[in-house]
Amino acid sequence: MILQIDLNTLLVLFRETSIIVAIYGIYVLSLNLEVGYMGLPQFGKVMFLALGAIAVGGIATKVALLIYSHVISSQLNISPLSDLDTYCSAYQYSAIGIINNIFSNSPLSGLAFFFMSITLAAILGGVFGVLMAGPALRLREDYLGILLLVSAETVRVISTYTPQVACGVFGAVIPDPFAWLREGRQWGYLAVTLIFLLLSFVILERLGNSPFGRALRAIRDAEVAARVFGKDIVKFRVRVLATASALAGVAGALLAFYNNFVLMGQFVPLETFKGWAMLIIGGTGNNIGALLGVVVYYVIDRVLSLYKEGIRQIINVDPIFFQYIIFGIIIILVLMFRPQGIISERPVKTLKRHILAKLRAEA
């Protein structure tokens, strides 16, 4: 059964998939820095995605409510920050609608709110990454993985059932900093996410090919030998966790702006293992492979979603569980026949390409 899709629907599908791929591309690139380069058992990665969302829905949005409180009070006759329970349950959409109207007429205000939110997300993620570096220095890999997993769940549960964080179970409606783009908002946001993805890729690629990146690989492959040669393992782990966590926080903020809504209950451990699945499929220790894994994952995900009714008629199974089965089979096949992923880890570039070619020719 061939699904008929008109051009406009296909464009929307391409746009929405590309935005998600760009956001999760940043997320998986940060995971690759920890897992592929450093070899850390990062099983609590979703925590930093959630912290990025908290920075937007729980901090930046409250700042916006404080700044525009006089306008909101004059139009709705309420003070949102004085009674958060009532605001979260009854007045969110009205209050945020007023802020969106302001942003639609003032692009600079919207952009200021956006960059403030991204900065807060990076800082919050980075700070928690440094805090988690303490246990990373003292625990064995298996215990560290368990601790990170439990920490992520703790953050999710506390934030979900604490309205003061991001409106708890109600979820937090967040202002749209790109409301001034109007009909072109989604295409504009695609450009924004692609720019952040490109910046993240360039930074991590240069980092991976630097002496710092070579040291990370040395620590991953032979920690004792790296320590003997004078590498400070503590400093490297702290820097890696801080950098990767800050990037994951940015990804969480971008995801929140994509949804224009933050529901902390969505940041379940499955989000961590989705990132691992993408990384395993694409290849660890390779930024291009990591991005390719994200693309492959979401292309398959979208195809299965489009044909879910046909799948249901053929095998009579819930399409969601069928997706889990398919990805489980793919991961097993990758681990059996190509454990290095689609693109294997490449040697570190220490010289320019033309210099390497010249040296090979001379040899």
Side-chain angles (χ1 to χ4, degrees):
M1 178 180 175
I2 299 176
L3 189 66
Q4 299 294 328
I5 305 178
D6 61 81
L7 181 59
N8 288 334
T9 303
L10 191 62
L11 283 174
V12 171
L13 182 64
F14 169 78
R15 182 188 67 202
E16 302 306 307
T17 304
S18 298
I19 292 174
I20 290 295
V21 165
I23 293 171
Y24 274 88
I26 299 171
Y27 178 60
V28 175
L29 283 174
S30 70
L31 179 63
N32 186 44
L33 179 62
E34 296 168 319
V35 177
Y37 285 87
M38 190 73 183
L40 291 174
Q42 178 53 282
F43 295 137
K45 191 64 179 177
V46 69
M47 172 171 60
F48 302 101
L49 202 66
L51 289 170
I54 289 174
V56 178
I59 302 176
T61 298
K62 290 186 177 67
V63 172
L65 290 171
L66 180 63
I67 292 173
Y68 300 110
S69 59
H70 62 287
V71 181
I72 296 171
S73 299
S74 63
Q75 295 189 31
L76 299 180
N77 198 28
I78 62 165
S79 179
L81 297 179
S82 63
D83 187 357
L84 279 175
D85 288 336
T86 304
Y87 163 76
C88 291
S89 60
Y91 296 108
Q92 280 199 84
Y93 288 94
S94 301
I96 299 302
I98 293 171
I99 296 176
N100 285 341
N101 286 334
I102 295 172
F103 287 168
S104 65
N105 296 314
S106 177
L108 288 179
S109 299
L111 291 174
F113 173 75
F114 174 75
F115 285 111
M116 176 189 70
S117 302
I118 293 294
T119 303
L120 285 172
I123 292 173
L124 192 62
V127 167
F128 269 78
V130 172
L131 292 177
M132 296 310 301
L137 306 176
R138 297 174 176 84
L139 296 176
R140 276 178 17 200
E141 290 187 354
D142 46 359
Y143 293 110
L144 175 60
I146 294 170
L147 176 66
L148 290 169
L149 179 61
V150 171
S151 300
E153 272 296 273
T154 302
V155 169
R156 181 185 69 84
V157 171
I158 291 176
S159 58
T160 298
Y161 296 102
T162 307
Q164 289 75 15
V165 176
C167 284
V169 295
F170 296 105
V173 182
I174 63 175
D176 181 5
F178 301 101
W180 49 276
L181 289 173
R182 295 179 173 82
E183 292 80 7
R185 193 269 182 194
Q186 289 299 93
W187 288 107
Y189 195 64
L190 171 59
V192 169
T193 55
L194 289 176
I195 289 171
F196 273 93
L197 175 61
L198 179 61
L199 289 173
S200 301
F201 177 81
V202 170
I203 291 170
L204 292 179
E205 191 71 7
R206 291 180 67 87
L207 196 65
N209 290 315
S210 68
F212 181 81
R214 294 196 294 274
L216 293 184
R217 287 183 170 95
I219 294 169
R220 178 197 65 189
D221 296 334
E223 182 175 327
V224 175
R227 197 184 299 273
V228 169
F229 280 98
K231 299 300 180 184
D232 191 332
I233 310 299
V234 172
K235 288 184 179 179
F236 279 101
R237 284 184 174 174
V238 170
R239 290 170 184 173
V240 164
L241 282 168
T243 303
S245 301
L247 279 176
V250 170
L254 292 173
L255 184 62
F257 281 120
Y258 172 66
N259 295 321
N260 282 328
F261 190 80
V262 171
L263 183 62
M264 298 311 301
Q266 76 181 88
F267 297 104
V268 294
L270 178 63
E271 292 297 316
T272 293
F273 296 109
K274 277 172 60 178
W276 273 85
M278 297 172 195
L279 190 57
I280 290 171
I281 293 170
T284 60
N286 187 315
N287 292 321
I288 295 177
L291 291 180
L292 183 59
V294 179
V295 173
V296 170
Y297 182 95
Y298 275 106
V299 167
I300 296 173
D301 178 77
R302 291 296 186 262
V303 170
L304 292 176
S305 298
L306 287 173
Y307 289 96
K308 61 183 178 182
E309 292 304 323
I311 294 170
R312 191 193 300 272
Q313 293 173 10
I314 295 173
I315 60 175
N316 192 27
V317 65
D318 191 310
I320 294 177
F321 296 115
F322 183 72
Q323 286 176 291
Y324 295 156
I325 294 170
I326 292 296
F327 285 118
I329 292 172
I330 290 172
I331 291 171
I332 291 171
L333 292 175
V334 168
L335 292 175
M336 287 178 61
F337 299 106
R338 193 169 178 82
Q340 71 271 33
I342 297 175
I343 302 179
S344 59
E345 183 175 350
R346 299 174 300 176
V348 179
K349 297 177 183 177
T350 56
L351 296 173
K352 296 291 186 181
R353 190 185 299 271
H354 68 278
I355 297 176
L356 287 172
K358 182 178 179 181
L359 291 174
R360 290 195 188 100
E362 292 176 355

